[in-house]
Amino acid sequence: MVFSRAKSIDDIYDAVVDHDLVVVPDAPLASAINRRLDEPRLGAFAITPRRLAAGRREQAEDRLAFLEIIDRIDRAWSRVAYEVGNILQCWEHQADLEAIFEYDTYVSDATHEAVAAIDDLDTTSARLSEYSIDEELSVAVVGEPQLTPLERSILPAEYTSVSPFHSEAYDPTPFHVFDSKTDVVETVIDALSTETADDVAIVLDQASAYSSLIESGLESAGIPFYGGPGFIDNTDHRAYLSLLRVLNAGSDTRVREIRPLLTHLGEPPAPKHDDKRVSELNGGAISWVQDLRSTTDDHTFDDILAAFERRVGRSLDAFRTELQALGVAETTVTDTAVDQLAFYLQSYEVPVDRENTGVLLADATSAAYVGRPTVVHLGLDDGWTASPPNRPWVGREDQYTRNIDDFQLLLQSGRQQHYLVTDAEGGSPVTPALYFTELLESSFERFTDVEHVRHTTPDWTDGNGFDRDPTVVDTDIESVETISQSSLATYVNSPRDYMFSRLLDSPDREYFMKGNLLHDFAEFCVAHPAFVDSDVVDDAVELILDATRPFRRRVDEPTRRTEYRVALETIHEYIAETDPVGDPALGTADRWGENTFATHYGRPIGDAPTEVWFEEQDLGMKGKIDLVASPTELVDHKSGTTAPTETEIVRKSAIEPPHDKPDFQALLYLSYWRTQRPNEDLEFTFFHPLATLDEAVAGEAALEATRTTVSAYPTSFPDHVRSEAVFAALRDDGAGDCQKTLGKTTYSEWAAVFERATPPTTSANDEMIDSAFGQTLIEHMRDTVGEYKYVTSGCEQALRELARIYGRNYFIEDMDAFTDFVADQLTELNEYRRGAARFPVEGRSGEPNARRLDHEDLLLEGSR
């Protein structure tokens, strides 16, 4: 098969002008031929079979048939639509209404009911079945293979068949390849104007991103167009349908789910409320919706439409007409009724009254001819490939022939054709429409494999580019001097995600509020230990339940009540046991905001060693310490249900390379705290009051299981494990062979090993044992204790314990490296802020962890 050259309208007109009637497969083609007539004619000249038989403008027959029979058949609308679609399609391809009964798989009682109902209707298919062209007329048929069997059934015995193609091949103009869809659309918009709009058609896949991009681009440029957005694309129509769903939605509906509706109504709540239940909020558009919900039990679709019209200040007459056509205008609004309405609007294209002026937007899979002088084809990818109906009554070869002929004619519509495409999207090649391979008789996988013209965005980095007037003059970019552990973790995972976190508000979350309230209660316990008793705990549970109710389903309340009670009782027990003393060097804590329980009970927090803020510009670090248990122990309260191990805490604070889920809190706080307590062993404790929730319910909880503590030593790892304290701990508390081996030697012999070799900084057992230090220890102890098997085993046990010590604690080299790391990240961050480069998507470890992204929807795939 070759790409055949399409005949011009003039050529087709010359071939048919001497006939009485010209039958064509496409209405725009008929109009183009009729415009060539140079003398008046009585009756139709060029016309489509359906227009000829029905004597009226062609309409969507499946929708009209559906509207006519939904009241006659007591079936779900989806089933009626299924039967109507099958029957009309089979009729079209077999030229017989009852041909559907020959396909047993598709026949049911509903089919018989639908056929009987359709047989009573005045459809264009029925008129085609009954119509025949007068044999005395001289008839020409243009593109006969493009007619369906039902359309061909009206043809007389004799007629002239006119092919829309010449015998010679067509050599398409080169593809114009752009870097992105946005570049394609910008190029088209820049080339259009209000003066040229009526001469241009744009052909595209209406299901692709091109559709919305072109429509918004034309609107922004003030260029008229038609053939684009459909009935359901009207923002008022979509908002009304959304309102109907909200009115019957359950109490668990969240603000984020209906934010488009609330925005359309003009008074959306702040983004922080997105996770809250609509039923728990008031004010603005939400109050209006709530008032409507409270009286919606007996409201009809028309009642709600009238209320919506009053709210938005516009009439939706077209929607009211459609509700009346469906027979639901006076129907009470229910879930089932709304679902059926939504199904109808999604399944059928409701006609929209438009002024047929401006740029014509044509769908690539439904148009065969476009009657405009200039035609721009966008995309030309696999979305342009029409899928033959997967039904046994459709002749797949005949349908494919019709589709490929339509494709050839569409690409040659107009006097000028322009093919604008992209070669790749998101790093993957764009697949050209399937028809190209057959028509061009060559296989190619992407547009750049054949003749094309490349269009790229100019790169001005090597020159001065265009002269620009700065919008802001002499603006100083404020540097970020300090960073918190959470912001650092976000930045390390993805600098661009960090950037968006600084620009955008995030919604309140239940776990955030729960965490804040548990922190407040812990602080209140520290400040007023004698006041807090079981009655206060009971009261506090109810306070937290009330505060978190907007986020919670009613069915979850008993579970949450148990969870909060366990958390508060565990906090009370922990604070009582810890008996925090703080650090006299701290002075007064720098707090902000209110403590919920202090306000409720009228008891100020005072100078309790809680919520201690620090910000050290020399280190570039800042943070808030939940509790200073003692001058050498810091505590952070966590509301999660799983307590990490010491190893997990240390591993997640790694910097070379960073962990997949970085968490620098313990390391950052201890790195700061050592500047206040430079020569002391320090501890950081994560306290998880809900870590023993299951055990607490069973009455078996142990307070020790709620806390995990890591230590920071003011010495290096080699110096620490060389110490007599570590030797004594291994000798007295180590594994069996370790105790046995070290019990037969002295500390001086242990220290002697460190003179010969240095232990590696690793938490891997094998690396520690196989290192020069590990082999030196084994060799030295064999010489000292003797050539016994337990000596080798005991030394390996000691080496494993050294690896565990390194993997569970911080040492001076770790804190030094982390301090340098923070400084490097701040330097890099400030370079981005000054515009040296874009904030990249990829973080320090490469591709970001998607589970840790707060704004994944803003990080476009393949962007850098």
Side-chain angles (χ1 to χ4, degrees), residues 318-368:
F319 211 123
R320 180 170 284 103
T321 299
E322 211 60 28
L323 292 176
Q324 292 168 348
L326 289 164
V328 299
E330 301 304 323
T331 300
T332 300
V333 176
T334 63
D335 284 341
T336 301
V338 173
D339 286 343
Q340 295 207 130
L341 175 61
F343 168 80
Y344 168 75
L345 294 173
Q346 292 163 4
S347 302
Y348 297 106
E349 187 62 45
V350 179
V352 178
D353 290 334
R354 312 177 190 271
E355 292 185 9
N356 293 343
T357 58
V359 176
L360 169 63
L361 302 183
D363 185 10
T365 58
S366 60

Side-chain angles (χ1 to χ4, degrees), residues 498-517:
Y498 163 86
M499 181 266 292
F500 281 124
S501 72
R502 307 290 293 176
L503 297 176
L504 303 175
D505 291 330
S506 296
D508 291 340
R509 310 278 188 188
E510 181 179 10
Y511 64 87
F512 282 158
M513 182 167 287
K514 177 183 75 174
N516 289 337
L517 290 168

Side-chain angles (χ1 to χ4, degrees), residues 682-696:
L682 305 175
E683 292 182 333
F684 189 94
T685 297
F686 286 107
F687 171 50
H688 285 72
L690 286 171
T692 56
L693 177 60
D694 294 341
E695 292 81 359

Side-chain angles (χ1 to χ4, degrees), residues 228-303:
F231 183 86
I232 194 55
D233 296 315
N234 181 293
T235 55
D236 279 336
H237 295 174
R238 296 177 72 88
Y240 170 68
L241 187 62
S242 178
L243 175 62
L244 292 174
R245 290 203 177 281
V246 171
L247 296 180
N248 285 278
S251 61
D252 193 43
T253 303
R254 309 290 165 150
V255 169
R256 67 172 177 272
E257 298 172 38
I258 66 167
R259 177 165 289 282
L261 168 63
L262 299 175
T263 301
H264 190 80
L265 295 176
E267 294 181 279
K272 68 177 183 178
H273 297 298
D274 274 0
D275 266 10
K276 295 178 181 177
R277 292 186 297 144
V278 175
S279 58
E280 293 291 330
L281 297 177
N282 288 296
I286 284 185
S287 290
W288 181 81
V289 172
Q290 295 287 56
D291 291 343
L292 205 56
R293 278 169 63 111
S294 65
T295 59
T296 194
D297 290 343
D298 56 354
H299 277 352
T300 65
F301 282 91
D302 194 60
D303 292 336

Side-chain angles (χ1 to χ4, degrees), residues 158-172:
E158 295 184 3
Y159 55 85
T160 302
S161 183
V162 177
S163 172
F165 299 105
H166 288 294
S167 58
E168 67 265 23
Y170 172 64
D171 186 15

